[in-house]
């Protein structure tokens, strides 16, 4: 019987590398004809504004430039239609139109989803297996047997990374909570799915470690075949470690990674 491993490695709000159900990576053609809504930025980032918006096709003149990038208030919440795109130094320049602003040019990087601050109105439809190409294989040296072990893993998404091999899988989960007080003796892991079902591990022990003005709560558990089927049929909407809860925004993407790793 196979077991599935979920591992949360990166710090909250920082992804090692993550796709998004709004971001097509190299498949920029999926955006043509779509409407893109500029997303809000975290308060701490608003002073830096939005990177990549220009008034000219040569991408030299920054639109409503602040200290460096486009001012936050000039773009937040605006909706643009993607008119066309063209190659540019290994990436792309996307031509955008807005009824109030007019035409802008966006410097699209196929490898930097963290600079891409759009929500696709109506969403994108990805073909089956589209995200499997982002999975990686690590090679570790097994000194006792003098051979290499190979372990598959996905990119980190909302602090969730999936690891496993052909015979053995497991799940590790991290939640970062405020440092008002440290709680010990916590137990249990629950993944609440969008369809209302839950994948629960009530006996999972919880470790606590200090971070900068925060505490990290970690736990791990084996996943059986029935639980795996549930995770492959509905996205994770919320993760609960002990009594700490966090909403999961990219649950649908994580579900696609699960499907790829546990075929």
């Amino acid at each position: 019987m196979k077991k599935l491993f979920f591992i949360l490695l990166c710090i909250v709000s920082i992804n090692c590398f993550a796709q998004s159900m709004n971001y097509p990576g190299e498949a920029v053609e999926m955006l043509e004809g779509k409407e893109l809504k500029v997303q809000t930025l975290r308060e701490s980032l608003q002073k830096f504004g939005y990177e990549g918006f220009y008034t000219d096709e040569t991408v030299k003149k920054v639109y409503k430039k602040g200290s460096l990038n486009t001012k936050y208030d000039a773009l937040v919440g605006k909706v643009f239609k993607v008119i066309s795109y063209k190659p540019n130094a290994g990436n792309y320049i996307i031509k955008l139109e807005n009824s109030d602003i007019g035409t802008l040019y966006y410097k699209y990087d196929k490898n930097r989803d963290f600079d891409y601050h759009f929500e696709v109105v109506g969403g994108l439809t990805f073909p089956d297996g589209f995200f499997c190409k982002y999975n990686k294989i690590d090679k570790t040296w097994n000194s006792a047997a003098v051979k290499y072990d190979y372990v598959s893993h996905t990119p980190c998404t909302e602090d969730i990374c999936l690891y496993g091999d052909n015979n053995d899988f497991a799940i590790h989960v991290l939640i970062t909570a405020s440092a008002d007080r440290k709680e010990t003796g916590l137990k249990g892991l629950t993944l609440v799915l969008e369809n209302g079902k839950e994948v629960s591990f009530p006996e999972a022990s919880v470790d606590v470690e200090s971070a900068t003005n925060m505490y990290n709560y970690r736990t791990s558990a084996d996943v059986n075949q029935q639980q795996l089927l549930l995770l492959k049929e509905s996205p994770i909407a919320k993760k609960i470690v002990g009594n700490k809860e966090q909403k999961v925004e990219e649950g649908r993407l994580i579900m696609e990674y699960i499907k790829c790793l546990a075929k």
Side-chain angles (χ1 to χ4, degrees), residues 87-141:
N88 176 58
N91 287 295
Y92 299 94
I93 295 173
I94 297 177
K95 184 178 180 180
L96 302 171
E97 281 192 2
N98 172 276
S99 58
D100 296 323
I101 295 174
T103 300
L104 292 182
Y105 297 89
Y106 177 71
K107 213 170 175 181
Y108 178 88
D109 194 318
K110 63 186 180 184
N111 298 310
R112 290 169 62 90
D113 70 298
F114 45 85
D115 285 336
Y116 176 89
H117 300 293
F118 293 110
E119 175 188 348
V120 180
V121 179
L124 292 173
T125 301
F126 293 92
D128 290 342
F130 178 87
F131 294 101
C132 294
K133 61 188 174 185
Y134 297 105
N135 287 352
K136 306 295 182 183
I137 297 178
D138 281 343
K139 184 170 68 172
T140 58
W141 186 51

Side-chain angles (χ1 to χ4, degrees), residues 1 5-6 20-21 28 40 42 54 59 64 81 95 114 136 138 170-171 178 188 196 205 219 250 258:
M1 178 181 295
F5 260 79
F6 289 75
S20 163
M21 297 305 281
V28 65
T40 58
R42 294 199 309 274
Y54 300 85
V59 293
K64 292 200 174 180
K81 184 173 182 178
K95 184 178 180 180
F114 45 85
K136 306 295 182 183
D138 281 343
I171 175 164
S178 64
S205 59
T219 187
E250 291 286 357
I258 294 172

Side-chain angles (χ1 to χ4, degrees), residues 46-102:
Q46 292 177 11
K47 61 184 177 182
F48 300 110
Y50 295 99
E51 183 178 355
F53 291 86
Y54 300 85
T55 59
D56 62 314
E57 196 170 0
T58 60
V59 293
K60 300 294 184 184
K61 300 177 182 178
V62 176
Y63 173 67
K64 292 200 174 180
K65 186 176 180 180
S67 58
L68 183 62
N69 303 315
T70 299
K71 294 177 182 179
Y72 176 74
D73 291 342
L75 286 177
V76 62
K78 298 293 186 183
V79 177
F80 292 87
K81 184 173 182 178
V82 177
I83 303 303
S84 61
Y85 65 92
K86 68 175 185 178
N88 176 58
N91 287 295
Y92 299 94
I93 295 173
I94 297 177
K95 184 178 180 180
L96 302 171
E97 281 192 2
N98 172 276
S99 58
D100 296 323
I101 295 174

Side-chain angles (χ1 to χ4, degrees), residues 12-233:
V12 164
S13 79
I14 300 177
N15 293 332
C16 299
F17 175 82
Q19 286 297 118
S20 163
M21 297 305 281
N22 286 295
Y23 174 73
E26 296 180 357
V28 65
E29 66 276 5
M30 296 179 67
L31 296 175
E32 192 166 18
K34 295 288 187 179
E35 290 188 327
L36 306 182
K37 181 178 181 180
V38 182
Q39 297 175 316
T40 58
L41 298 177
R42 294 199 309 274
E43 187 174 353
S44 61
L45 297 178
Q46 292 177 11
K47 61 184 177 182
F48 300 110
Y50 295 99
E51 183 178 355
F53 291 86
Y54 300 85
T55 59
D56 62 314
E57 196 170 0
T58 60
V59 293
K60 300 294 184 184
K61 300 177 182 178
V62 176
Y63 173 67
K64 292 200 174 180
K65 186 176 180 180
S67 58
L68 183 62
N69 303 315
T70 299
K71 294 177 182 179
Y72 176 74
D73 291 342
L75 286 177
V76 62
K78 298 293 186 183
V79 177
F80 292 87
K81 184 173 182 178
V82 177
I83 303 303
S84 61
Y85 65 92
K86 68 175 185 178
N88 176 58
N91 287 295
Y92 299 94
I93 295 173
I94 297 177
K95 184 178 180 180
L96 302 171
E97 281 192 2
N98 172 276
S99 58
D100 296 323
I101 295 174
T103 300
L104 292 182
Y105 297 89
Y106 177 71
K107 213 170 175 181
Y108 178 88
D109 194 318
K110 63 186 180 184
N111 298 310
R112 290 169 62 90
D113 70 298
F114 45 85
D115 285 336
Y116 176 89
H117 300 293
F118 293 110
E119 175 188 348
V120 180
V121 179
L124 292 173
T125 301
F126 293 92
D128 290 342
F130 178 87
F131 294 101
C132 294
K133 61 188 174 185
Y134 297 105
N135 287 352
K136 306 295 182 183
I137 297 178
D138 281 343
K139 184 170 68 172
T140 58
W141 186 51
N142 184 331
S143 58
V146 193
K147 66 177 184 179
Y148 286 106
D149 292 330
Y150 295 87
V151 179
S152 299
H153 67 91
T154 69
C156 296
T157 304
E158 291 191 76
D159 300 325
I160 298 177
C161 301
L162 290 84
Y163 281 72
D165 59 31
N166 291 331
N167 301 308
D168 195 28
F169 297 86
I171 175 164
H172 296 252
V173 177
L174 161 72
I175 283 184
T176 300
S178 64
D180 295 337
R181 61 192 178 96
K182 179 179 179 180
E183 293 188 59
T184 59
L186 300 179
K187 183 185 291 189
L189 165 64
T190 300
L191 302 173
V192 181
L193 309 182
E194 283 187 6
N195 63 7
K197 296 180 181 179
E198 296 183 354
V199 178
S200 184
F201 311 90
E203 297 304 314
S205 59
V206 176
D207 296 324
V208 187
E209 61 183 26
S210 179
T212 305
N213 299 319
M214 307 288 279
Y215 286 107
N216 290 331
Y217 293 82
R218 300 178 184 269
T219 187
S220 61
D222 292 337
V223 178
N224 61 39
Q225 286 294 304
Q226 183 178 0
Q227 292 167 325
L228 175 57
L229 289 174
L230 290 175
L231 291 167
K232 290 169 70 174
E233 74 178 25

